[in-house]
Amino acid sequence: MSVRPSAGGSLLLQGRFAFTAHSEKHGQITDKYLLSIEVPRQFPKTLPRVTETEQKIPRNGEFHVNPDGTLCLGSPLRLLVKLASDPTLTGFTGKCLVPYLFAISNKLQKGGPLPFDELAHGVPGMLADYVDLFGLKEPEQARLAFRLLGMKKRRANKHPCPCACGGRLGKCRFNQRLSLFRRLASRSWFRAQKL
């Protein structure tokens, strides 16, 4: 892949991306895609945007391509969680991009549904994933947790806890769980998410 600077101080990687990946259930897949990966200046706090440029991946809902042509690799917070243990481009491609491409290649080569758990499109899918990620029960609880993550901690601690314990966040053990997510992104990042 070629590397060059892009607008706004980001880095643009373009070219053929080849991979080999293996799954116990689905076997080994070797494939390649022509990609454009825009790595923002704030990486790893801000995620790269990946576009498949030769139209090998069908542009319909079954293949999780966003309306703007970028690949939907997963919910943004889940991707930040995956990236946290290896906040490098190698970590991003290995933990976020290759699993998506493996699933797409498996579907293109063998047919049927995508081989891994699939989220619904848009906000409903993100909320379902965040319910799981936060260990909550309802989408509205996840929405509240996001709002609290977008606030200063002292202010958020005075609000009711999203876990529905009936107490304030500052007095609940759930506060410790939210602290893990505060390390992954800024308050402004959480506020900017459209939930």
Side-chain angles (χ1 to χ4, degrees):
M1 297 188 89
S2 67
V3 180
R4 65 181 175 86
S6 182
S10 61
L11 189 68
L12 192 61
L13 304 162
Q14 290 181 310
R16 186 99 22 219
F17 181 85
F19 72 94
T20 298
H22 181 266
S23 156
E24 288 295 323
K25 185 175 180 184
H26 303 286
Q28 181 170 298
I29 295 215
T30 298
D31 208 343
K32 55 190 168 204
Y33 290 87
L34 197 56
L35 300 179
S36 175
I37 304 173
E38 184 180 354
V39 184
R41 181 182 219 156
Q42 301 82 7
F43 177 81
K45 295 286 186 184
T46 303
L47 297 165
R49 294 169 40 92
V50 183
T51 307
E52 187 265 323
T53 57
E54 64 182 340
Q55 306 291 315
K56 181 175 176 178
I57 301 173
R59 301 306 200 249
N60 64 45
E62 289 182 43
F63 291 88
H64 294 273
V65 177
N66 294 316
D68 67 357
T70 57
L71 305 181
C72 181
L73 306 178
S75 68
L77 187 56
R78 177 75 67 179
L79 295 174
L80 288 176
V81 168
K82 288 180 177 184
L83 193 54
S85 63
D86 186 3
T88 65
L89 279 177
T90 302
F92 172 75
T93 57
K95 295 177 182 224
C96 304
L97 180 57
V98 169
Y100 168 88
L101 294 176
F102 177 94
I104 296 301
S105 293
N106 188 80
K107 181 174 176 61
L108 289 172
Q109 293 173 17
K110 301 175 183 176
L114 289 171
F116 307 123
D117 291 337
E118 195 176 346
L119 294 175
H121 298 288
V123 172
M126 285 191 287
L127 283 173
D129 195 38
Y130 297 155
V131 164
D132 179 58
L133 204 54
F134 293 141
L136 297 170
K137 294 180 180 160
E138 300 293 330
E140 200 50 47
Q141 292 174 298
R143 196 177 258 130
L144 177 57
F146 249 79
R147 268 184 260 151
L148 295 174
L149 286 165
M151 297 178 188
K152 287 186 177 181
K153 192 173 182 179
R154 288 178 64 186
R155 185 170 161 228
N157 284 344
K158 296 175 184 176
H159 286 263
C161 185
C163 80
C165 66
R168 291 183 314 140
L169 176 62
K171 300 284 186 182
C172 183
R173 289 176 51 205
F174 187 73
N175 195 6
Q176 294 170 351
R177 181 140 181 89
L178 281 190
S179 290
L180 301 173
F181 296 102
R182 287 183 192 282
R183 295 183 199 133
L184 300 177
S186 66
R187 291 190 308 268
S188 61
W189 185 89
F190 286 103
R191 286 193 303 268
Q193 302 305 300
K194 305 290 187 228
L195 295 178

